[in-house]
Amino acid sequence: MRTPTGSPHALHLRMAFVFLSLAAASSQAGAVVTITGGYFGPRTLTLRVGSTAGVDTVQFNVVGPGTGNSLPAAAPIQGNGTAIAASSGGVAFRMSMQLPIGSLSQAMTTTVTSPAALTCTGGNCTGYSIPFSSISWTVSPAPSGPNAAFDLQNGTFAGGGTQTLLNFVVTFGGGSAVDVTSTMNFTYANTVAYPAGTYTGTVTYTASLP
């Protein structure tokens, strides 16, 4: 399966985000991870991935040697292994939780659930799919400082299951607020050249408190 020089064939990968938001958003944090005490308000938990409304789409455009020749019978071949950044840019990530004075220690967990693969939804790629594990992310700014362990870390979608992104226990009995703010920058591994077409999939982010 080979793409001739100058071929217009392209591979489009689209990954939509569904996010769960609980309670009202708090004020914008000025650092990657901010932990403060003395909180008197109600218990709240807010998760934002992408824009404040709707479902965001992360898109990768793969052209030239990175795609197949669009023949339905052609099998995927070796890709060039050069990772391709999302053409849609970075995605905002923010988890904010607030526990009032007198609260017991509580564990917050943020997870992401992804299907096993992105499936063909257009073009001559019928019957083909791309493993979700072909998509990774880095976070910016990079985790640093005394609270770096609580920050969102770089990772790769497991594909076909749920994986934990954040998991920590808040133990401040005097009331506390924790804010984790990052930008997720996604890349496609491009290790296999799939038939040209559009492949789509949706991931769901969830934050929870007991």
Side-chain angles (χ1 to χ4, degrees), residues 15-72:
M15 178 176 59
F17 289 106
V18 176
F19 62 92
L20 175 67
S21 179
L22 305 176
S26 59
S27 60
Q28 181 65 40
V32 176
V33 179
T34 302
I35 302 176
T36 56
Y39 176 70
F40 289 92
R43 189 177 86 148
T44 66
L45 174 65
T46 302
L47 175 64
R48 170 189 167 187
V49 182
S51 56
T52 56
V55 178
D56 283 21
T57 297
V58 173
Q59 181 166 326
F60 304 89
N61 296 318
V62 187
V63 297
T67 63
N69 58 10
S70 292
L71 297 178

Side-chain angles (χ1 to χ4, degrees), residues 5 53 90 92 165 180 187:
T5 302
L165 301 179
V180 179
T187 56

Side-chain angles (χ1 to χ4, degrees), residues 3-193:
T3 301
T5 302
S7 169
H9 300 310
L11 177 71
H12 302 283
L13 311 182
R14 295 175 182 169
M15 178 176 59
F17 289 106
V18 176
F19 62 92
L20 175 67
S21 179
L22 305 176
S26 59
S27 60
Q28 181 65 40
V32 176
V33 179
T34 302
I35 302 176
T36 56
Y39 176 70
F40 289 92
R43 189 177 86 148
T44 66
L45 174 65
T46 302
L47 175 64
R48 170 189 167 187
V49 182
S51 56
T52 56
V55 178
D56 283 21
T57 297
V58 173
Q59 181 166 326
F60 304 89
N61 296 318
V62 187
V63 297
T67 63
N69 58 10
S70 292
L71 297 178
I77 60 172
Q78 182 73 28
N80 62 18
T82 301
I84 296 175
S87 60
S88 47
V91 175
F93 176 96
R94 185 181 184 197
M95 188 289 302
S96 177
M97 61 182 292
Q98 298 167 316
L99 301 177
I101 288 178
S103 297
L104 299 175
S105 298
Q106 298 182 36
M108 187 288 307
T109 302
T110 298
T111 62
V112 60
T113 301
S114 57
L118 299 96
T119 57
C120 173
T121 56
N124 291 323
C125 55
T126 302
Y128 288 100
S129 61
I130 298 175
F132 239 101
S133 56
S134 299
I135 298 175
S136 302
W137 68 86
T138 59
V139 296
S140 59
S144 62
N147 297 323
F150 300 104
D151 198 5
L152 183 66
Q153 307 294 318
N154 299 339
T156 299
F157 287 114
T162 298
Q163 60 199 107
T164 299
L165 301 179
L166 299 174
N167 184 22
F168 51 80
V169 177
V170 177
T171 59
F172 302 104
S176 59
V178 180
D179 199 294
V180 179
T181 304
S182 295
T183 297
M184 304 180 76
N185 306 291
F186 292 92
T187 56
Y188 167 60
N190 193 30
T191 55
V192 175

